[in-house]
Amino acid sequence: SGHKECELIRYAAVAKAASVSWQKAESCIRDTTSLMSHCLHKGESVALVLKDVGVLLVEGTRVRMRFYYDFLERLSGKKNLEEAVFKIPRLMDVIVSRVTSVASLTFSGRVIIFP
């Protein structure tokens, strides 16, 4: 009820996964969060592209996550995902193709894309 726990970013683990030094990982993460914070403060629409996962879209007070089909398929299995989409057609609203233009996912067509 209002209590939020924060977990520190494990820069060494991120660095290892990205094959960079922990200093580089820390710098990239801090720079990205700083720039994203600045854009949101100015009221800009932003899209955070999460490699192999999908796109987080922030427009005003609206936040949406769109997932790549293959990511969801890896999580649930092809058969389970196909059954879920068949039973719940609006599930397709949260799925996005890797070749879709990120700007086309926004209302305004304008977006700052974070790779």
Side-chain angles (χ1 to χ4, degrees), residues 89-108:
R90 69 177 185 267
L91 182 61
M92 289 302 293
D93 293 343
V94 299
I95 297 174
V96 66
S97 167
R98 290 180 179 273
V99 297
T100 300
S101 164
V102 174
S104 72
L105 302 174
T106 68
F107 293 117
S108 67

Side-chain angles (χ1 to χ4, degrees), residues 43-115:
E44 298 282 347
S45 295
V46 296
L48 181 60
V49 178
L50 303 168
K51 183 182 178 205
D52 297 330
V53 175
V55 181
L56 177 67
L57 296 162
V58 182
E59 294 182 281
T61 60
R62 186 175 175 156
V63 179
R64 295 181 293 146
M65 185 68 201
R66 303 289 297 269
F67 296 97
Y68 296 133
Y69 187 89
D70 58 320
F71 170 74
L72 295 176
E73 192 175 71
R74 282 194 312 272
L75 286 180
S76 63
K78 184 176 183 139
K79 183 179 178 189
N80 289 337
L81 183 57
E82 288 173 351
E83 288 176 9
V85 169
F86 181 74
K87 289 179 182 176
I88 311 167
R90 69 177 185 267
L91 182 61
M92 289 302 293
D93 293 343
V94 299
I95 297 174
V96 66
S97 167
R98 290 180 179 273
V99 297
T100 300
S101 164
V102 174
S104 72
L105 302 174
T106 68
F107 293 117
S108 67
R110 292 182 56 240
V111 66
I112 297 170
I113 301 171
F114 289 82

